[in-house]
């Protein structure tokens, strides 16, 4: 442990209001850093690079827990753990790619602690749930003592590890609309090994065909190939309105190279990421075609 | 009283004492470990202890201009020590005396220790490390084998070569000229981190008699002893080294504990207080030893039928900044470099070179995994060039009884190469699986060829494949499967005259309560030494293993039985203990004038002996078997008393879209002589196999300006249990007449074969033969893309040259 733990302070709020109040007050002095499952924060503490010395422990806040199924979709409390996601029957049926992502976060021990909001707020471009949230047009509920607002997940990141959430705001929930009828969801994590691994490329797709078997709805979301998790909009455009054909896939793949900007880093290389991002796009389209053919 | 009442049972005639050897008795220290009672060095509470930290160089090569302690920091209570505080010689004594305990002026590698700090409060000392300012005059470092050979900068003598070895048998050039086909190949392997669970750690204190007591996590107490005697200019009896419960070593705690032990001792020496230094993972990975990277070239002549005629091998290993153990690592690597194959003409030229990287050191296998990786990959390349089944090629050439190794050693007994090979092939159903993967891969390729996006046909086909269990196209994936094998051997014990020079001694005495007590410096580091030793003694004395006491390796109490390395502990030290036990049994039976019946009887006789005659202790030292001869100068003769043999077969699945390789199934056979404790032996084989899998597929030390970049568990990637496949272990027991109960060595052998077996399986699955490990997905995708290394096209029988370099 390279951080001086004796210098740290943890505030345990009784309620969400209390938490927001404390957070709001802290903005003028030494800021409170929200602490959820702690699975990201403890890594920084151990390495001696803590983001602050005062922490706001959210773990006991019931208001931030629970998965609720509603008419148009689901609402996941900020503290929803990946284990809860993994084991939720409705999510399993309606959002299989989210469940697949949850099952590949760390391993069981991490999934028991790691929260959805923590994954979002940690803002790593390698966060595994993020491409799924993006592919499903998720919305994020954000609150402060000043009030509440809803942010489209797509507009949550300003740049590398930078959120459009203010220092006095907390993420309280994430809502996901049910995907269009008969759509095909997809998730693929390419990590450094089969568990306890950070993504080198992570991809989530969602696609629905119209009656003419043309692509009516498509989302392609990637992590670890740019400073932020992003939608490959050019590639999406190349697919929209087109049939599931090899030539279309090739055009989309070419367009994808313009969407993403991978780099060489400690885990992988730019070349590898470019190639794999393209391959996963084709894999997704193949899988969608196979799944259609089976119906 | 109750005891007395049961006496008649003990006096029953026991025809045969309960067998211990060959039975998987409970580990003696197992319960303490699983219940958390076992205390590791960081668990020990020492009153008044200071916490030590090491300030290390941030540059790879250069000079220290100035060391400054930031005056703004409150230095009260901080103990500061540098090279000037060392009472003896500033060195870590090992083979050559070239490595300083603390850098004085010159910096030869990044993370070289410069300054030591200690304080009561670990947080304060941590902060103090950040208040040290070191100014350098940096020099251009030499970081690769190539740059070292090119003498980009002079690092060691005039050629940057720590050690040169030449092994010759027959006439290689004539052999090559006379063969039907010559195949060339060049192979590379990178660093590998031992990654024991418990990081390095030591506690040192001054003793009232003016000496030092150093306790900690280590493999070789007498190595630390020797180093500290020199660094502190103390008489040997004033330095006492004690092993604490050790959470793994794999060679990583062979020589490095002399460094960290010296540091803790220096801080204790200066402060007069006990000092504990325990590395965290970041420091341990960044600063401690790794497996030597190697570049290996082979030029092999064969006859059309696959018979090996000549083998010219060139090995270069990266030793890092100081000599440390590189000469002996190189030696073992060179001796094993031609693999377990008969070949009349062999030349092996091996060099270890200096670079400005942290010294590379001991790691399970000690040079042999590198060279056998190369020769095994090369055997597969030869098989491909000849159109032979890789199994068949090995079958034709594998050592038999009476064959001669490159050093001229005649294999007189216990040669299990063929048995290991055939057993593995049979278990794996080699031919059948090979044919099946080829068929399925062809089907899959054909299905994918139109580059269409699946459609009805693909959907239907998918159903078919999943019915027959292959499922190679799930959810749009393009998967290929393959099977590969590798055969390896591993000499047990120190190389050449090593055991003679070591002259190990082990002892057995009677404890106060009349139990046999083992006295040796051989350490339990997780591999089972304690239990296995107890079994050997127990078997000989006719008592259960848990009746035998095993003394903590403590240089104040135990004789020097040598380091716990080189697969020697059971075969060599265990053999000495067996002899001690035989002598003890004889002595006690003579005293009792009747045979010992069981443990209770033993204890009764022993107590009586202690009361009437006093202490009883037997010591045995290593004696060279008369048939073994070794010539150090010419590198000829019996390099090892005996070899163990192992074969590994793996089946893999490669994802063509991502380059990811999954090992589906592994068969590991091992001829290790008698398995004293079959479960522990199998554990060694399974663990070594997974470590080999990591070596072959995942583990890559990445460097930035001479410093380890990925010094965290999150980015130095070892296999998890999810990455390991089921492993079927088959132990082959060809006995060795000089090993205790026929035992040979098991510790290192399992590390040799998995990596080349995986490379072979990947080549079988995809056609891409990757000559460098680890075969990361990045490397494999690149290999698949350029296709330059594919088989078949490059080398055809009849041509004079083959392989990728032609
Ligand atoms: C061994 C290991 C393996 C891992 N594997 C993976 C993996 O495979 N994939 C992956 O994506 N991640 C992985 N992680 C990272 C981590 O587990 C996830 O990012 C996790 O979702 C973080 O959630 P948490 O609740 O633990 O966050 P915390 O560590 O508590 O917080 C993370 C950040 O989010 C902020 N925060 C938390 N909650 C809120 C909130 N409600 N509002 C505003 N800000 C908030 C905190 O201030 C902090 O900056 C791994 C971590 C470890 C240690």
């Amino acid at each position: 442990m390279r951080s001086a733990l004796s210098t740290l302070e943890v505030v345990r709020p009784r309620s969400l209001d209390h938490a927001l109040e404390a957070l709001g007050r802290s903005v003028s002095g030494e800021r409170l850093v929200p602490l959820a499952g702690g699975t990201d924060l403890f890594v920084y503490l151990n390495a001696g690079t803590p983001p602050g010395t005062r922490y706001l422990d959210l773990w006991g806040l019931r208001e931030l827990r629970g998965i609720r199924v509603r008419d148009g979709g689901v609402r996941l409390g900020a503290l929803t753990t990946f284990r809860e996601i993994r084991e939720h029957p409705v999510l399993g049926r309606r959002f299989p790619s989210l469940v697949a992502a949850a099952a590949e976060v760390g391993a069981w021990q991490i999934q028991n602690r790691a929260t959805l909001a923590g994954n979002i707020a940690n803002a790593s471009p390698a966060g595994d749930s993020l491409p799924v949230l993006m592919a499903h047009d998720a919305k994020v509920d954000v609150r402060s003592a000043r009030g509440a607002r809803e942010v489209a997940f797509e507009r949550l990141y300003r740049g590398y590890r930078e959120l459009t959430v203010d220092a006095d705001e907390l993420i309280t929930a994430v809502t996901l609309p049910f995907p269009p009828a008969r759509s095909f969801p997809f998730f693929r994590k390419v990590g450094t090994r089969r568990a306890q691994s950070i993504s080198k490329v992570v991809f989530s797709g969602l696609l629905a065909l119209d009656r003419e078997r043309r692509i009516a709805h498509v989302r392609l979301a990637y992590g670890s190939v740019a400073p932020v998790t992003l939608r490959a909009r050019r590639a999406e455009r190349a697919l929209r309105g087109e049939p599931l054909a090899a030539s279309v896939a090739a055009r989309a793949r070419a367009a994808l190279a313009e969407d993403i900007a991978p780099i060489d880093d400690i885990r992988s290389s730019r070349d590898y990421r470019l190639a794999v991002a393209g391959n996963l796009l084709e894999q997704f389209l193949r899988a969608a075609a196979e799944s259609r053919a089976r119906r | 009283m109750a005891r007395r009442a049961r006496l008649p049972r003990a006096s029953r005639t026991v025809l045969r004492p309960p067998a211990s050897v060959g039975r998987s008795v409970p580990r003696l220290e197992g319960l303490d470990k699983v219940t958390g009672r076992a205390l590791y060095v960081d668990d020990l509470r020492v009153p008044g202890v200071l916490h030590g930290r090491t300030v290390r160089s941030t540059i790879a090569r250069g000079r220290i201009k100035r060391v400054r302690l930031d005056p703004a920091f409150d230095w009260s209570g901080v103990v500061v020590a540098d090279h000037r505080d060392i009472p003896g010689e500033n060195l870590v004594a090992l083979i050559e005396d070239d490595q300083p305990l603390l850098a004085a002026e010159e910096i030869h590698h990044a993370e070289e220790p410069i300054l030591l700090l200690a304080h009561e409060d670990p947080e304060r000392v941590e902060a103090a490390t950040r208040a040290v300012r070191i100014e350098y005059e940096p020099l251009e470092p030499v970081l690769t084998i190539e740059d070292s050979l090119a003498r980009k900068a002079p690092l060691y003598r005039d050629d940057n070569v720590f050690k040169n070895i030449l092994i010759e048998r027959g006439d290689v050039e004539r052999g090559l000229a006379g063969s039907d086909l010559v195949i060339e190949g060049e192979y590379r392997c990178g660093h590998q981190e031992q990654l024991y669970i418990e990081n390095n750690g030591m506690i040192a204190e001054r003793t009232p008699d003016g000496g030092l007591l150093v306790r900690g996590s280590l493999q070789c107490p007498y190595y630390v002893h020797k180093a500290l005697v020199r660094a502190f200019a103390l008489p040997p009896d004033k330095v006492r080294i004690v092993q604490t419960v050790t959470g793994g070593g794999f060679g990583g705690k062979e020589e490095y504990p002399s460094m960290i032990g010296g540091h803790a001792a220096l801080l204790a020496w200066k402060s007069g207080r006990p000092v504990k230094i325990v590395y965290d993972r970041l420091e341990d990975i960044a600063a401690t030893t790794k497996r030597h990277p190697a570049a290996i070239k082979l030029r092999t002549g064969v006859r059309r039928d696959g018979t090996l005629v000549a083998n010219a091998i060139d090995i270069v290993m990266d030793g890092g900044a100081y000599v440390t153990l590189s000469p002996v690592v190189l030696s073992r690597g060179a001796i094993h470099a031609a693999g377990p194959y008969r070949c009349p003409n062999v030349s092996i030229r091996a060099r270890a070179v200096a670079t400005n990287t942290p010294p590379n050191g001991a790691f399970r296998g000690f040079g042999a995994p590198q060279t056998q990786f190369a020769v095994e990959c090369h055997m597969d390349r030869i098989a491909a060039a000849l159109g032979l089944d890789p199994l068949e090629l090995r079958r034709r050439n594998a050592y038999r009884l009476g064959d001669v190794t490159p050093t001229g050693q005649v294999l007189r007994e216990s040669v299990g190469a063929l048995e290991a090979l055939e057993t593995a092939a049979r278990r794996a159903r080699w031919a059948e699986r090979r044919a099946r993967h080829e068929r399925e891969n062809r089907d899959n390729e054909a299905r994918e060829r139109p580059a269409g996006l699946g459609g009805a046909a693909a959907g239907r086909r998918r159903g078919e494949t999943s019915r027959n269990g292959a499922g190679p196209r799930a959810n749009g994936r393009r998967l290929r499967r393959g099977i590969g094998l590798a055969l390896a051997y591993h000499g047990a014990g120190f190389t050449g005259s090593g055991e003679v020079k070591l002259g190990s001694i082990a002892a057995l005495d009677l404890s106060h309560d009349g139990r046999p007590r083992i006295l040796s410096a051989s350490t339990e580091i997780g591999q089972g030494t304690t239990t296995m030793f107890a079994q050997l003694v127990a078997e000989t004395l006719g008592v259960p293993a848990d009746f035998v006491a095993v003394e903590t390796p403590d240089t104040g109490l135990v004789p020097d039985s040598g380091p716990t390395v080189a697969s020697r502990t059971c075969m060599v030290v265990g053999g000495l203990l067996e002899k001690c036990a035989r002598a003890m049994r004889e002595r006690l039976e003579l005293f009792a004038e009747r045979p010992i019946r069981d443990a209770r009887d033993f204890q009764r006789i022993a107590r009586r002996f202690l009361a009437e005659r006093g202490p009883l202790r037997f010591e045995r030292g290593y004696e060279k078997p008369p048939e073994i001869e070794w010539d150090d100068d010419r590198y000829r003769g019996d390099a090892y008393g005996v070899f163990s043999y192992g074969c590994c077969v793996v089946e893999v699945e490669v994802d063509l879209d991502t380059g990811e390789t999954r090992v589906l199934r592994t068969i590991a056979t091992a001829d290790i002589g008698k398995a004293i404790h079959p479960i522990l032996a199998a554990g060694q084989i399974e663990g070594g196999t997974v470590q080999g899998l990591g070596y072959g597929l995942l583990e890559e030390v990445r460097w930035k300006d001479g410093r380890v970049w990925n010094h965290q568990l999150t980015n130095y990637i070892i296999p998890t249990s999810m990455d390991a496949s089921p492993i079927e272990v088959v132990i082959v027991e060809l006995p060795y007449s000089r090993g205790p109960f026929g035992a040979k060595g098991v510790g290192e052998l399992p590390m040799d074969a998995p990596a080349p077996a995986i490379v072979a399986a990947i080549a079988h699955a995809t056609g891409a033969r990757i000559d460098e490990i680890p075969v990361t997905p990045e490397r494999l995708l690149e290999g698949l893309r350029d296709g330059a290394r594919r088989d078949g096209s490059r080398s055809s029988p009849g041509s004079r040259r083959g392989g990728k370099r032609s």
Side-chain angles (χ1 to χ4, degrees), chain B residues 694-764:
Chain B
Y695 189 42
L697 278 181
L698 303 171
E699 297 185 39
E700 183 166 44
V701 178
R702 306 204 52 197
W703 298 85
K704 217 176 190 176
D705 305 322
R707 306 184 77 178
V708 178
W709 187 13
N710 54 341
H711 56 144
Q712 291 173 290
L713 289 173
T714 179
N715 41 39
Y716 180 76
I717 306 298
I718 61 161
T720 66
S721 55
M722 295 278 290
D723 298 280
S725 77
I727 301 168
E728 295 166 46
V729 172
V730 186
I731 298 177
V732 176
E733 298 181 294
L734 296 190
Y736 172 45
S737 61
R738 304 231 172 240
F741 301 94
K744 303 195 276 188
V746 64
E748 298 172 289
L749 173 76
M751 186 73 219
D752 292 332
I758 286 168
V759 169
I762 292 172
H764 184 231

Side-chain angles (χ1 to χ4, degrees), chain B residues 513-754:
Chain B
D513 60 344
R515 298 217 256 161
R517 182 176 70 149
I518 291 169
L519 299 161
S520 91
S522 305
T523 50
E524 166 69 58
I525 54 174
Q527 84 284 44
T529 298
T530 302
T531 309
M532 176 271 294
F533 274 180
Q535 284 179 283
L536 293 175
V537 168
E539 179 78 28
T540 311
L541 294 176
V543 299
D546 61 6
F547 181 67
V548 180
V550 183
E551 187 51 74
T552 301
D554 172 342
T555 59
L557 294 175
V558 301
D560 185 358
S561 61
T564 303
V565 303
S567 310
R568 64 185 292 277
T569 302
C570 178
M571 191 180 92
V572 178
V573 186
L576 300 179
L577 287 171
E578 190 214 333
K579 285 185 192 160
C580 292
R582 251 189 277 141
M584 179 175 278
R585 179 166 195 152
E586 259 170 47
R587 186 74 191 84
L588 289 178
E589 289 185 342
L590 207 64
F591 170 73
E593 297 181 339
R594 62 174 176 78
I596 297 169
R597 294 194 201 97
D598 57 14
R600 197 153 358 141
D601 192 35
F602 181 98
Q603 199 160 15
R604 214 164 26 226
I605 298 170
R607 279 182 167 154
R608 203 151 58 79
F609 188 98
L610 288 169
E612 293 175 20
R613 304 277 169 93
L616 182 64
R617 175 184 161 114
F618 292 94
E619 232 180 58
R620 289 292 178 272
Y622 177 80
E623 286 165 28
K624 183 180 80 69
E627 72 275 13
I628 288 184
E629 289 301 337
W630 176 257
D631 180 340
D632 260 329
D633 301 323
R634 291 169 50 240
Y635 246 76
R636 297 215 60 74
D638 299 292
Y640 302 95
V642 74
F643 292 89
S644 294
Y645 299 83
C647 181
C648 182
V649 183
V650 295
E651 289 184 68
V652 302
E653 182 175 86
V654 177
D655 185 322
L656 297 182
D657 290 321
T658 64
E660 291 169 299
T661 300
R662 211 177 124 192
V663 179
L664 303 170
R665 175 173 180 235
T666 308
I667 290 105
T669 60
D671 161 29
I672 57 169
K674 178 70 185 171
I676 305 301
H677 190 298
I679 287 183
L680 283 176
Q684 286 297 297
I685 296 164
E686 287 172 17
T689 302
V690 176
Q691 213 160 25
L693 183 158
Y695 189 42
L697 278 181
L698 303 171
E699 297 185 39
E700 183 166 44
V701 178
R702 306 204 52 197
W703 298 85
K704 217 176 190 176
D705 305 322
R707 306 184 77 178
V708 178
W709 187 13
N710 54 341
H711 56 144
Q712 291 173 290
L713 289 173
T714 179
N715 41 39
Y716 180 76
I717 306 298
I718 61 161
T720 66
S721 55
M722 295 278 290
D723 298 280
S725 77
I727 301 168
E728 295 166 46
V729 172
V730 186
I731 298 177
V732 176
E733 298 181 294
L734 296 190
Y736 172 45
S737 61
R738 304 231 172 240
F741 301 94
K744 303 195 276 188
V746 64
E748 298 172 289
L749 173 76
M751 186 73 219
D752 292 332

Side-chain angles (χ1 to χ4, degrees), chain A residues 2-293:
Chain A
R2 295 192 174 184
S3 297
L5 292 188
S6 67
T7 63
L8 306 185
E9 190 190 322
V10 178
V11 174
R12 290 233 157 81
R14 287 182 310 274
S15 65
L16 180 57
D17 285 342
H18 179 202
L20 293 174
E21 204 185 300
L23 194 60
R25 259 184 293 135
S26 81
V27 173
S28 52
E30 184 159 9
R31 269 193 52 197
L32 276 168
V33 180
L35 167 67
T39 60
D40 275 314
L41 287 173
F42 265 81
V43 174
Y44 301 123
L45 288 180
N46 189 48
T49 54
T53 58
R54 301 186 66 221
Y55 293 86
L56 181 68
D57 182 2
L58 309 178
W59 198 250
L61 299 179
R62 301 179 57 108
E63 297 99 312
L64 301 184
R65 293 207 170 273
I67 300 172
R68 271 172 280 281
V69 182
R70 300 150 149 195
D71 275 352
V74 292
R75 184 173 191 276
L76 302 109
L79 290 177
T80 302
T81 64
F82 287 112
R83 172 152 200 170
E84 287 162 353
I85 291 174
R86 224 182 140 164
E87 291 178 345
H88 198 275
V90 175
L91 294 180
R93 274 199 312 277
R94 307 297 300 270
F95 297 96
S97 51
L98 182 62
V99 171
E104 291 206 44
V105 172
W108 280 114
Q109 298 92 324
I110 293 293
Q111 289 161 23
N112 285 338
R113 272 311 279 194
T115 66
L116 187 59
N119 204 222
I120 295 170
N122 186 54
S124 159
D128 284 326
S129 71
L130 312 185
V132 185
L133 300 180
M134 200 166 262
H136 280 92
D137 298 328
K139 294 202 165 49
V140 179
D141 289 355
V142 172
R143 261 174 83 171
S144 69
R146 295 173 286 136
R149 63 192 178 102
E150 191 185 65
V151 189
F153 181 74
E154 247 184 86
R155 275 189 284 280
L156 198 68
Y157 299 110
R158 193 178 285 139
Y160 178 66
R161 298 216 149 197
E162 223 187 307
L163 282 96
T164 54
V165 176
D166 289 327
D168 67 339
E169 288 181 314
L170 282 180
I171 294 171
T172 53
V174 177
T175 47
L176 294 172
F178 288 127
R182 285 187 310 164
S183 56
F184 179 77
F186 186 87
F187 174 79
R188 180 87 197 264
K189 167 176 178 170
V190 180
T192 48
R193 64 184 155 206
R194 284 168 56 73
Q196 300 292 26
S197 96
I198 311 286
S199 286
K200 299 194 284 195
V201 178
V202 53
F203 167 73
S204 184
L206 187 70
L207 172 153
L209 301 183
D210 62 17
R211 287 179 191 291
E212 279 77 52
R213 297 193 163 196
R214 288 177 189 281
I215 299 169
H217 178 89
V218 62
R219 293 282 183 276
L220 308 171
Y222 282 92
S224 278
V225 293
V228 292
T229 302
L230 52 72
R231 265 178 66 182
R233 289 179 180 280
R234 290 181 183 83
E236 286 178 5
R237 233 174 285 135
L239 293 175
R240 210 166 286 125
E242 301 289 340
L244 273 175
S247 56
V248 174
R251 273 203 300 282
R253 186 181 178 132
L256 176 68
E258 303 287 308
D259 284 318
I260 62 178
I263 56 165
D264 290 338
D265 69 5
I266 198 163
R267 270 180 291 279
S268 191
S269 67
R270 177 190 138 79
D271 286 355
Y272 178 80
R273 290 180 156 120
L274 266 177
V276 169
N279 290 348
L280 293 189
L281 172 58
E282 289 183 358
Q283 194 199 325
F284 167 50
L285 298 174
R286 273 197 309 272
E290 282 172 22
S291 129
R292 248 208 79 82

Side-chain angles (χ1 to χ4, degrees), chain B residues 9 37 150 204 244 278 292 310 324 347 385 409 424 460 463 502 595 602 695 742 781:
Chain B
R9 277 183 61 203
R37 270 201 306 264
T244 52
V278 176
H292 289 67
T324 64
S347 82
Q409 174 168 2
R460 212 171 48 236
L502 271 180
F602 181 98
Y695 189 42
L781 264 203

